[in-house]
Amino acid sequence: MKGKTSNRVKKAFFKHKLGVVGLIVLAILYLMILFADFISPYNYTTTNRDFVYSKPSEIHWVHEGEFKGPFVYGTKKERDPVTFAVKYVTDTSKIYPIKLFVQGDKYSFWGLWETDIHLFGIGPQKDAALFVFGSDRFGRDIFSRTLNGGRVSMTAGLIGTLISVVIGAIIGAFSGFFGGWADILIQRLIEILRSFPRIPLWLALAMLLPPTWPSTAIYMGIVIVLSFIGWMGVARVVRGMVLSLREKEYVLAARVIGQSNFKIVTKHLIPNTITYLVVVSTLSIPGMILGESAISFLGLGIKEPMTSWGLLLKQAQSLSDIQAHPWLMIPGLFIMIAVLSFNFLGDALRDALDPYRTVDKI
Amino acid sequence: MVSFIIRRILIMIPMMLVISFICFFLIELQPGDFVSQYLENPRISPEQIDYIKANLGLDKTPMERYGMWMKGIITEGDFGYSFAFKRPVTDLIWERMGWTIGIALVTILFQWLIAVPLGIYSALHPYRSGDYLLTFIAFIGISIPEFFLALILMFATGTSGGLFSPQYIGAPFSLAKMVDLAQHVWLPIVVIGISGLAGLMRVMRGNMLDTLGSPFVNSLRARGLPEKWVKRHVIKNALNPMVSIAGMELPNIFSGTVITAIVLNLPTMGPFFYTALMNHDQYLVMTFLMFIALITQIGNLIADVLLAVLDPRIRMS
Amino acid sequence: MSIINVNNLKTHFRTDEGIVKAVDDVSFELRDKEILAIVGESGCGKSVTVQTVMGLLRCPPAIIEGSIVYQGKELVGMKPNEYQKIRGKEIGMIFQEPMSAFDPLYTVGQQASEAVSVHFNLDTHSIRERVIKMFEKVGIPEAEKRFDEYPHQMSGGMLQRMMIALTLACEPNVLIADEPTTALDVTIQAQVLNLMRDLQKETGTSIIFITHDLGVVAEIADRIHVMYAGKIVEKASVIDLFDTAKHPYTQGLLDSRLKRNLKGQELPYIKGNVPRAFEFPQGCRFNPRCPYAKEICMREMPPDFEIAKNHTVACWLYDGADSK
């Protein structure tokens, strides 16, 4: 019977074309951030005063009628004869081909070894740069920063969900199983916490993190802040499941045999709720990703030198910034695509694992 | 029914007490306080800082301050003093409350007016191209970050937000001012409402499909009711559970107003809250959180009451 | 005189696992003022048959072939808005689960009035009076008070009476009762059956009564049709069926009723299981379970053999025994 169920689940999942698309996109995104340092032409912290606020580089294929493969023109400084302001203009006499496996900024691959080979780029040049998504106000390559920022954006939500699911499941299970005043207390607490709107609560919690902490500590702090709200929904669902499972015959049988309460909870109740936990988790991740982005966007989240997609968007807060440098908004697209993919995936998983929407009814 | 409402209101009082406690200590736990910003400033002497602290009551212990705050609330309705704006908190929040609630209500209306018909349409023509299109748009709606949508719309329309063009700010009430308002306010309403709208539409669709599969629908047809009458029955049954969802959406709408208001520069409580938070303007932050929690509780109560009104099964239990 | 004439009716469903032949070439007639019982186990197709007659199935996934003639009108293929005029007014239907047959958000009075208002051009007051009178007729105490109550406030038996009242208030010529007493307690069952019998005598409505309970059938029916795996296997009057059932399946059903004198012995039952709708055996569908199965039974489907007036059997055992 186990084999039949997992086949049915797989079949139901793959019927959901969007779910498969979501899965593929997420796989690509996670691969991208895994190899972020390698794929980016530049290090995400490399500044370049000469190329502040560059728009995305124009990649040419043909030069003076000749096909040369992908390349970028150089730039040279000129003075505007009228305003005497410094301008950068394209210098078509200098051609910089885009090569694979080029040398670039030194970086450490996940702390394992040092190297300076990047997937593609034009190599270290003085008067040209390959900015796929343009550059920001310090001349940093947005493409590289987006890839690196993905590390935070794509993992904070995941870890936050994991923590909240574990905490929520444990609290919910014991609350539902033992009942009594502990249950009532927890339920009231959850009710109270849920009357706070998420974002203000997250912001207030984020303020608890001392600004003097290093980036990595802030990252962990943000993850915990995010999970602070998520656990309540999970606890409610798990409690509901436990309440209905508690009355089922096999629990009664276990009791009659004399199994301890702890064993009953861990060996019978929790495994039966695992599928629903998977559904609830996948449905919570989008909220967490959006939450981290929002907190960082407002400056209360991830701190430099770490970066996240939300933090990258912080540079695009005013109308004048966006109108002058619209490419600054590109990381927002990534947030949307990641969240959309998780939503597709979650929807497909839910149809496959929980077609009768038991989770919704609780 | 009346006893139900009274009971709920009575329960709210201890809940609000707990909430006030939570709010207070949430802010207390933040590192630094209002005077921290002055610590770095070489032009302000330590004695001046101590003076400011004593003046604002920041030199007392947390419990003392909580007690004083509570006393002020209960006896005088005084929710504290804003250090940054140098005015009583109640005045500040009262000024902004109107716009916040107004925009929230209009957003809810906007969501329902669009989501319910679209959800019904989707359910009555399921798995066809219209349904797929709406489903796809719904997914995008719930996936797009609000602030990102705000940025995109700002870019697309060239507005920098705000509710009025410069010439109408502070101007007296007039038709032209209303028109100007409408021209500006649609943007935050769309931004705040889009994700809730998308979710609502999907839920309506799901409810409709579930109800269409219910046994009583066959019975209605067997009685010879025209299909239009049958649809009316189905829609009413599908709409009922949505009411409690609306109640639960309320905190989300207020969430949305906070960020969108900051980006779009709206005269609501959002930007206020943000500035207050950054400045450790304690009482403003706490009171704001409390008010939002209170409004959410009231919203939930209204939703529950509406549900009882609409569903005889619940009304009578 | 037949009110409804069903000929070679087929209702098939297209599903992921294949074509389900829920009703497969069924022919029968409903005569004026009679109570016709269609009997069979779960899944034999009796419900689908009457749902087809009422036009309640969605096509697709249903595929309907054959003919259903009601008072000269062909129902198969009839346009939806014309079919709607026949439902309720000409042919009414009551369902197994009364609680699931009402909209929980409207009072029973509102729903009954709504149904009456579709078929009769009366003012609100007259409709209300008519409905209340009908409630009283079916034996509902304090009918006026009950008018304003909701379905969930009533017991199953009371609600079933309400459903009967609602349906009969529209004065149909035919009433289809799909297992109306199955979900009720035995004592309530008896009450409802008596009620139906009395009403039928009074109004002359013809009834098609679906059930799996032979005891109920004995109480109320004039004629009985036995269905198995989408086909009618025996048609007889109630007396003939109980006295001289001919089809092995019918005999098996009658034998497996619990009787006092079986105490202490192994209870008789029909061995085997009802075949699933897409796995019907070749030939006569009962042959795997039939104690008298012959070689021809496994090859060819038996036709109806008329072995006496008003008594037909679809069984090869009676080949040649028919009057032809």
Side-chain angles (χ1 to χ4, degrees):
Chain A
M1 201 57 211
K2 198 77 196 296
K4 253 195 178 160
T5 326
S6 64
N7 272 342
R8 179 184 60 83
V9 164
K10 268 192 221 143
K11 207 171 124 178
F13 177 79
F14 284 105
K15 223 165 99 162
H16 216 280
K17 283 174 271 191
L18 288 179
V20 176
V21 168
L23 190 62
I24 296 178
V25 170
L26 285 175
I28 296 177
L29 283 176
Y30 276 106
L31 273 175
M32 261 177 33
I33 64 169
L34 187 67
F35 294 103
D37 297 320
F38 174 62
I39 302 178
S40 341
Y42 302 96
N43 275 0
Y44 70 101
T45 45
T46 312
T47 58
N48 195 329
R49 264 178 320 161
D50 289 337
F51 290 104
V52 163
Y53 281 134
S54 300
K55 57 186 212 291
S57 307
E58 289 172 15
I59 300 180
H60 303 273
W61 297 79
V62 175
H63 172 70
E64 284 166 7
E66 236 189 287
F67 179 79
K68 283 195 175 287
F71 66 91
V72 173
Y73 284 124
T75 55
K76 57 175 186 251
K77 274 194 200 157
E78 272 186 5
R79 257 189 209 285
D80 185 296
V82 175
T83 64
F84 289 118
V86 174
K87 269 194 329 189
Y88 290 95
V89 289
T90 320
D91 181 354
T92 51
S93 64
K94 306 232 187 72
I95 295 182
Y96 297 101
I98 301 175
K99 297 185 280 215
L100 288 177
F101 300 109
V102 291
Q103 278 198 318
D105 302 328
K106 273 219 179 70
Y107 64 94
S108 159
F109 187 79
W110 288 103
L112 295 174
W113 64 81
E114 287 240 336
T115 176
D116 64 355
I117 306 289
H118 294 262
L119 179 65
F120 67 94
I122 57 173
Q125 306 291 351
K126 276 255 170 273
D127 51 357
L130 177 61
F131 294 134
V132 181
F133 288 163
S135 74
D136 69 7
R137 88 180 145 145
F138 296 116
R140 298 178 291 196
D141 177 26
I142 293 191
F143 179 72
S144 309
R145 285 176 70 70
T146 305
L147 286 182
N148 192 278
R151 287 189 174 166
V152 169
S153 300
M154 300 282 291
T155 54
L158 221 55
I159 302 177
T161 304
L162 200 66
I163 298 177
S164 54
V165 164
V166 168
I167 296 180
I170 295 178
I171 293 184
F174 279 92
S175 174
F177 188 71
F178 290 110
W181 60 265
D183 179 34
I184 296 181
L185 206 68
I186 295 181
Q187 289 313 298
R188 290 282 148 255
L189 186 65
I190 292 183
E191 241 187 83
I192 291 178
L193 285 176
R194 285 180 90 219
S195 38
F196 286 100
R198 292 162 79 137
I199 306 261
L201 192 56
W202 268 333
L203 293 179
L205 286 171
M207 283 292 285
L208 293 181
L209 306 174
T212 48
W213 278 8
S215 300
T216 33
I218 300 261
Y219 171 81
M220 281 318 300
I222 294 290
V223 165
I224 294 179
V225 165
L226 289 174
S227 63
F228 191 81
I229 303 219
W231 72 266
M232 297 184 291
V234 177
R236 219 165 60 98
V237 168
V238 171
R239 175 180 174 272
M241 311 236 76
V242 167
L243 280 180
S244 67
L245 283 176
R246 186 170 68 168
E247 310 305 320
K248 286 222 161 65
E249 284 80 31
Y250 56 85
V251 173
L252 201 57
R255 265 228 172 93
V256 166
I257 301 177
Q259 261 195 335
S260 80
N261 279 340
F262 180 77
K263 271 238 179 86
I264 294 183
V265 169
T266 48
K267 280 188 86 171
H268 291 290
L269 298 178
I270 291 191
N272 269 293
T273 58
I274 292 268
T275 32
Y276 302 110
L277 284 181
V278 170
V279 172
V280 165
S281 314
T282 349
L283 294 176
S284 318
I285 297 178
M288 299 257 177
I289 296 184
L290 290 174
E292 180 274 316
S293 308
I295 301 178
S296 302
F297 174 71
L298 293 178
L300 290 171
I302 302 295
K303 211 172 70 158
E304 298 264 358
M306 274 180 118
T307 186
S308 81
W309 291 332
L311 189 55
L312 286 173
L313 279 181
K314 186 160 177 288
Q315 298 211 351
Q317 272 203 37
S318 71
L319 181 64
S320 49
D321 280 331
I322 316 175
Q323 283 183 325
H325 327 287
W327 54 90
L328 292 174
M329 295 198 290
I330 293 181
L333 277 177
F334 277 79
I335 303 178
M336 193 174 92
I337 293 175
V339 171
L340 195 59
S341 306
F342 269 113
N343 273 325
F344 285 154
L345 183 67
D347 210 52
L349 272 180
R350 180 168 57 174
D351 280 346
L353 290 174
D354 181 20
Y356 298 108
R357 295 280 191 272
T358 325
V359 170
D360 278 352
K361 295 196 182 107
I362 292 174
Chain B
M1 173 74 128
V2 178
S3 63
F4 170 72
I5 299 182
I6 292 182
R7 225 179 326 132
R8 284 287 290 267
I9 295 183
L10 286 179
I11 291 187
M12 274 206 272
I13 297 180
M15 298 249 288
M16 288 309 297
L17 239 88
V18 175
I19 290 179
S20 72
F21 202 70
I22 295 179
C23 286
F24 186 84
F25 276 94
L26 195 60
I27 311 301
E28 269 305 304
L29 289 173
Q30 284 175 5
D33 57 20
F34 183 69
V35 293
S36 310
Q37 57 188 298
Y38 298 131
L39 288 175
E40 304 282 311
N41 192 332
R43 280 187 286 157
I44 300 184
S45 67
E47 292 86 30
Q48 283 177 303
I49 292 182
D50 284 341
Y51 176 74
I52 298 176
K53 257 188 143 156
N55 213 10
L56 298 175
L58 286 173
D59 53 344
K60 303 211 171 48
T61 67
M63 285 313 299
E64 281 181 319
R65 277 185 279 133
Y66 178 70
M68 281 165 54
W69 186 48
M70 280 279 101
K71 195 168 99 175
I73 295 178
I74 297 175
T75 55
E76 292 162 35
D78 170 21
F79 282 86
Y81 188 78
S82 161
F83 310 136
F85 293 94
K86 301 194 174 32
R87 293 168 63 195
V89 166
T90 15
D91 290 351
L92 291 169
I93 292 197
W94 188 251
E95 279 170 15
R96 303 269 168 142
M97 179 87 87
W99 282 116
T100 307
I101 295 190
I103 292 186
L105 287 178
V106 175
T107 306
I108 294 182
L109 199 67
F110 157 75
Q111 286 179 335
W112 276 69
L113 283 179
I114 299 189
V116 169
L118 285 183
I120 296 176
Y121 171 81
S122 250
L124 293 177
H125 309 89
Y127 312 114
R128 299 232 275 270
S129 48
D131 183 29
Y132 281 129
L133 183 66
L134 285 174
T135 303
F136 190 70
I137 295 180
F139 267 107
I140 297 205
I142 57 178
S143 308
I144 195 167
E146 260 156 22
F147 52 94
F148 183 57
L149 181 61
L151 293 178
I152 293 187
L153 287 180
M154 272 167 65
F155 181 65
T157 59
T159 52
S160 58
L163 282 182
F164 295 101
S165 313
Q167 65 263 36
Y168 286 109
I169 299 180
F173 193 81
S174 72
L175 189 61
K177 183 166 177 173
M178 289 285 99
V179 169
D180 184 53
L181 175 62
Q183 283 174 330
H184 280 89
V185 85
W186 70 266
L187 206 149
I189 289 179
V190 166
V191 169
I192 299 172
I194 198 97
S195 93
L197 187 155
L200 215 62
M201 184 173 79
R202 297 281 297 162
V203 172
M204 186 68 196
R205 175 185 182 274
N207 281 359
M208 284 286 292
L209 287 177
D210 282 344
T211 312
L212 281 169
S214 301
F216 77 85
V217 174
N218 248 1
S219 172
L220 292 176
R221 292 205 181 104
R223 298 176 202 168
L225 296 186
E227 197 60 23
K228 234 197 347 224
W229 294 27
V230 176
K231 282 201 187 118
R232 256 193 311 186
H233 279 264
V234 172
I235 292 178
K236 186 157 196 299
N237 272 275
L239 216 43
N240 253 30
M242 302 273 281
V243 176
S244 39
I245 296 182
M248 297 194 285
E249 264 295 295
L250 214 52
N252 290 340
I253 304 245
F254 279 108
S255 251
T257 54
V258 169
I259 300 197
T260 316
I262 296 173
V263 175
L264 292 177
N265 202 20
L266 303 174
T268 64
M269 299 204 266
F272 240 31
F273 173 72
Y274 181 63
T275 319
L277 202 57
M278 298 298 253
N279 286 330
H280 297 282
D281 201 351
Q282 214 180 2
Y283 294 107
L284 189 54
V285 174
M286 295 188 312
T287 313
F288 174 81
L289 282 176
M290 268 184 61
F291 260 108
I292 299 283
L294 178 68
I295 291 175
T296 306
Q297 299 254 342
I298 295 179
N300 279 336
L301 178 61
I302 294 180
D304 284 344
V305 167
L306 272 180
L307 192 61
V309 164
L310 294 174
D311 191 333
R313 293 169 289 186
I314 296 185
R315 209 185 316 159
M316 292 172 190
S317 61
Chain C
M1 219 269 285
S2 58
I3 299 249
I4 294 185
N5 224 310
V6 176
N7 272 307
N8 306 109
L9 182 66
K10 295 196 179 109
T11 306
H12 296 176
F13 292 95
R14 221 181 263 132
T15 70
D16 287 337
E17 278 138 336
I19 301 231
V20 174
K21 296 184 180 166
V23 176
D24 202 20
D25 199 356
V26 154
S27 307
F28 66 93
E29 63 167 354
L30 174 68
R31 298 182 190 154
D32 195 20
K33 294 200 187 15
E34 77 165 336
I35 299 185
L36 169 67
I38 301 187
V39 181
E41 296 169 287
S42 309
C44 69
K46 49 195 200 298
S47 274
V48 178
T49 306
V50 293
Q51 283 181 350
T52 314
V53 171
M54 285 294 277
L56 289 175
L57 298 173
R58 274 204 107 148
C59 315
I63 310 164
I64 302 177
E65 280 172 30
S67 146
I68 306 172
V69 177
Y70 167 76
Q71 289 193 344
K73 290 184 243 190
E74 173 62 68
L75 298 183
V76 175
M78 188 181 263
K79 288 208 182 0
N81 52 337
E82 288 195 24
Y83 224 129
Q84 179 238 316
K85 297 206 188 89
I86 295 196
R87 287 197 292 262
K89 179 93 182 64
E90 311 278 339
I91 310 179
M93 184 160 171
I94 59 180
F95 296 83
Q96 180 175 339
E97 254 290 354
M99 200 64 80
S100 336
F102 282 92
D103 184 331
L105 302 180
Y106 292 88
T107 65
V108 285
Q110 282 172 324
Q111 296 188 53
S113 307
E114 183 188 34
V116 171
S117 72
V118 173
H119 305 297
F120 299 96
N121 207 346
L122 298 168
D123 63 285
T124 324
H125 188 68
S126 314
I127 294 183
R128 188 192 160 94
E129 275 190 13
R130 172 189 274 242
V131 168
I132 293 180
K133 230 189 253 144
M134 207 65 218
F135 282 176
E136 285 168 352
K137 207 175 209 166
V138 299
I140 294 174
E142 296 181 296
E144 271 219 57
K145 194 158 148 258
R146 290 285 139 90
F147 187 93
D148 293 317
E149 283 182 1
Y150 288 91
H152 70 274
Q153 292 177 274
M154 301 185 200
S155 69
M158 182 92 75
L159 209 53
Q160 191 63 290
R161 290 174 193 261
M162 293 281 189
M163 178 133 73
I164 295 174
L166 185 157
T167 317
L168 289 183
C170 303
E171 295 176 358
N173 291 328
V174 176
L175 176 67
I176 298 180
D178 191 352
E179 306 222 40
T181 55
T182 308
L184 304 174
D185 292 333
V186 178
T187 43
I188 311 290
Q189 233 182 55
Q191 286 176 14
V192 172
L193 283 178
N194 283 334
L195 172 68
M196 287 182 73
R197 204 179 25 220
D198 293 340
L199 284 174
Q200 195 263 347
K201 276 206 195 73
E202 194 187 312
T203 59
T205 317
S206 321
I207 301 185
I208 301 181
F209 198 104
I210 311 274
T211 179
H212 63 264
D213 188 337
L214 287 167
V216 164
V217 161
E219 287 251 357
I220 195 170
D222 297 320
R223 290 193 304 142
I224 303 180
H225 291 354
V226 180
M227 273 188 83
Y228 182 82
K231 287 190 159 301
I232 298 184
V233 299
E234 186 157 7
K235 300 178 189 172
S237 71
V238 61
I239 297 178
D240 281 348
L241 195 93
F242 278 90
D243 278 350
T244 55
K246 294 291 183 216
H247 197 284
Y249 176 60
T250 318
Q251 290 168 346
L253 280 183
L254 290 169
D255 286 342
S256 45
R257 282 177 305 160
L258 291 174
K259 292 192 271 257
R260 267 288 235 12
N261 55 355
L262 291 171
K263 189 168 172 177
Q265 303 168 21
E266 188 177 323
L267 299 171
Y269 62 96
I270 310 175
K271 68 173 167 58
N273 288 313
V274 177
R276 297 200 317 176
F278 31 83
E279 294 173 344
F280 287 149
Q282 178 91 309
C284 168
R285 295 196 175 151
F286 188 62
N287 81 63
R289 311 169 71 186
C290 181
Y292 313 109
K294 299 191 289 191
E295 199 258 320
I296 189 176
C297 302
M298 306 191 221
R299 269 189 300 118
E300 271 184 60
M301 189 84 75
D304 286 332
F305 297 109
E306 192 173 335
I307 53 167
K309 185 149 186 350
N310 279 330
H311 193 156
T312 62
V313 198
C315 178
W316 287 117
L317 287 175
Y318 303 95
D319 183 10
D322 58 347
S323 348
K324 295 206 186 80

